[in-house]
Amino acid sequence: MNWVDEARGRTERDRCAATPIPDDLQLLDPEQNVLLKRWASSDGARRGRAALLKDAAPISSIERAEALCELLLIRGWIVRREQLVGGTWQWNAITWRDLPRLQSLLGVSSPRLRGEQRRTLIEESQTWFRSRAETLNHSALDPDLLDEIEQALGQLCDDTSLRLELLSVRLQLLRAVAAWHDEGRQGSRRDFALHARGTTKALGEADWRWLEGGFDLERLRIARFASMAWLAGDITLNWSGQQVNLASLHCLGLPLADLKRASSASTPARWWLIENRASFERQAQQREAGLVLLWMPGRPSVEWLESVGHLLRLAPAPAWISADADPSGVDIACTVGAVWQAQNLSWDPYRMGVDQWAATSQYWPLNDHDRHLLEAQLARSDLPRELRELCLAMQREGRKAEQEGWI
């Protein structure tokens, strides 16, 4: 064997094979492969003998580790620092001749490489988010979703302990949620999993917990169970002779599919639609005669709007609509109010005006998405006067509020 030896003083030398760095690993037995991956998983270009043998201890004997080191020297992968002790050369450290190439051949992701990959994933996602926020039609924008994505992305950027593979999946889920919204999709959690990852069972419990922690999935029309409409008040619904009377109940949830099958209904004096669930249930306990309450689940899905439209044809009556005193609430109220307008029925914003907004102690600052949405609402010629005054007040003072504080 031809060696290249470089003296390091009187009793030390650096030795390596007089061959180029290899292009392959040739044949290693399974134990050697596992051990070499362990040694190469660090970014350190130089490793001491004691550290290498310590890494080898759980999976290999000292003799096998020594043999692998000798093999790496012969094949040209390392420069070995050796010391003359009692007339015998003994090695005490190695230096990798091309660690990135070795790591690539082994399929080892080093800390350095993982860091680079992590930065790339984060930068690509931040660029995507900025592009999406700048190019969306803000009149059709869900500002809550942009806030949710921005917050989730920020948390992922800050969590340096997150495994690279999991980070990649979470960033993919962010884009999938955005695409689901932008394409107007609705469906079950299995439908979303298929959309996001290619199979209906691709998302585990940990994935769903993470999504639930950052997003209002029901608002995004990703349903755990059948989509429901929650009602309370003086109304009787009929299904071909079968009746359900809500008057004696606190409230009742009906699947939207069943609601669309109703054949007739009694007509109330007025509908009252309330966005906040706690407010809806509170008002359901103290409702007036002739009033029917309907919970308005945030930004309603197409299926919910269609079901309410069917119900309205069976039981036509004017409506009060109560949403949060914020830009999104104004948009939701107008969206739902359009269902009444389509059937030549009147609707009015109720208890979501300047008086309620001004009297509350809440102070939630507007964000950029809120401001875009305010501009879009104020540009509408059919915006009710009460909502226009609210929008101008929010725009002037830069704050918004939630209806749970007063309904």
Side-chain angles (χ1 to χ4, degrees), residues 11-70:
T11 60
E12 284 190 333
R13 70 184 182 190
D14 283 341
R15 164 167 283 197
C16 70
T19 59
I21 299 169
D23 292 322
D24 58 59
L25 286 170
Q26 301 181 30
L27 295 179
L28 296 175
D29 66 38
E31 184 181 323
Q32 289 174 327
N33 190 63
V34 171
L35 179 54
L36 184 53
K37 284 183 176 181
R38 193 177 182 93
W39 282 355
S41 63
S42 167
D43 281 328
R46 190 174 190 275
R47 301 293 307 278
R49 181 175 186 274
L52 291 174
L53 295 182
K54 182 178 179 181
D55 279 352
I59 57 176
S60 185
S61 67
I62 293 178
E63 291 76 15
R64 293 279 288 170
E66 292 276 10
L68 177 59
C69 183
E70 188 70 22

Side-chain angles (χ1 to χ4, degrees), residues 37-38 40 64 86 119 126 137 174 187 189 210 229 231 245 291 312 388:
K37 284 183 176 181
R38 193 177 182 93
R64 293 279 288 170
R119 284 191 293 274
Q126 290 173 330
N137 175 7
L174 290 186
R189 292 194 173 198
W210 180 78
L231 302 97
N245 189 323
L291 191 63
L312 196 54
R388 184 173 297 277

Side-chain angles (χ1 to χ4, degrees), residues 376-390:
Q377 294 301 324
L378 288 168
R380 296 176 59 147
S381 60
D382 61 345
L383 186 66
R385 178 186 56 79
E386 186 176 354
L387 295 184
R388 184 173 297 277
E389 291 175 355
L390 174 63

Side-chain angles (χ1 to χ4, degrees), residues 151-404:
Q151 184 174 3
L153 183 55
Q155 290 172 344
L156 291 173
C157 292
D158 293 340
D159 189 358
T160 56
S161 65
L162 199 63
R163 290 185 294 106
L164 183 65
E165 297 80 4
L166 189 53
L167 173 65
S168 179
V169 170
R170 296 279 159 87
L171 293 173
Q172 183 180 351
L173 290 178
L174 290 186
R175 299 195 188 209
V177 167
W180 178 275
H181 163 268
D182 296 347
E183 295 166 13
R185 292 175 179 257
Q186 58 186 29
S188 68
R189 292 194 173 198
R190 286 196 170 195
D191 293 327
F192 176 77
L194 179 64
H195 160 78
R197 302 281 288 157
T199 68
T200 59
K201 297 181 180 179
L203 301 184
E205 285 300 316
D207 297 315
W208 285 115
R209 283 195 299 272
W210 180 78
L211 285 167
E212 289 168 348
F215 298 92
D216 183 345
L217 298 181
E218 292 296 326
R219 191 192 80 244
L220 294 170
R221 304 182 293 278
I222 303 171
R224 180 188 290 272
F225 304 111
S227 299
M228 307 286 285
W230 285 87
L231 302 97
D234 291 335
I235 190 169
T236 300
L237 301 172
N238 301 286
W239 286 267
S240 302
Q242 302 296 316
Q243 292 187 343
V244 173
N245 189 323
L246 275 68
S248 60
L249 305 173
H250 175 199
C251 59
L252 182 67
L254 293 170
L256 296 181
D258 290 339
L259 195 59
K260 286 195 285 188
R261 293 191 301 103
S263 55
S264 64
S266 61
T267 301
R270 180 179 297 276
W271 292 92
W272 186 11
L273 290 84
I274 300 175
E275 179 183 2
N276 183 275
R277 179 60 181 267
S279 297
F280 163 78
E281 293 195 11
R282 183 161 50 244
Q283 295 302 319
Q285 290 179 318
Q286 53 193 37
R287 62 183 182 268
E288 300 174 1
L291 191 63
V292 178
L293 278 66
L294 181 60
W295 177 51
M296 193 166 50
R299 193 170 297 275
S301 67
V302 172
E303 185 183 13
W304 188 92
L305 293 169
E306 290 174 348
S307 299
V308 171
H310 174 71
L311 188 57
L312 196 54
R313 285 188 288 273
L314 300 179
W320 286 333
I321 297 181
S322 301
D324 288 333
D326 66 9
S328 182
V330 172
D331 188 39
I332 290 168
C334 291
T335 299
V336 176
V339 178
W340 267 255
Q341 289 175 289
Q343 300 193 36
N344 295 316
L345 294 167
S346 65
W347 72 277
D348 294 294
Y350 181 60
R351 298 179 68 180
M352 62 173 297
V354 172
D355 290 345
Q356 290 77 31
W357 170 84
T360 182
S361 60
Q362 299 174 26
Y363 193 98
W364 304 110
L366 300 179
N367 55 39
D368 290 340
H369 316 310
D370 291 327
R371 295 186 182 91
H372 281 300
L373 201 53
L374 278 178
E375 292 172 2
Q377 294 301 324
L378 288 168
R380 296 176 59 147
S381 60
D382 61 345
L383 186 66
R385 178 186 56 79
E386 186 176 354
L387 295 184
R388 184 173 297 277
E389 291 175 355
L390 174 63
C391 286
L392 289 170
M394 288 190 290
Q395 191 178 61
R396 183 174 58 252
E397 296 195 20
R399 68 179 179 93
K400 56 189 176 180
E402 295 178 350
Q403 67 177 192
E404 190 176 6

Side-chain angles (χ1 to χ4, degrees), residues 109-162:
S109 180
S110 69
R112 175 190 55 78
L113 182 59
R114 288 195 295 274
E116 291 175 356
Q117 291 171 333
R118 184 181 187 280
R119 284 191 293 274
T120 298
L121 286 173
I122 291 294
E123 288 170 3
E124 288 176 348
S125 295
Q126 290 173 330
T127 300
W128 161 78
F129 175 76
R130 287 192 296 269
S131 175
R132 180 179 184 276
E134 292 168 359
T135 59
L136 271 179
N137 175 7
H138 287 280
S139 64
L141 180 64
D142 181 344
D144 297 325
L145 177 59
L146 277 178
D147 287 345
E148 288 167 344
I149 293 175
E150 185 173 32
Q151 184 174 3
L153 183 55
Q155 290 172 344
L156 291 173
C157 292
D158 293 340
D159 189 358
T160 56
S161 65
L162 199 63

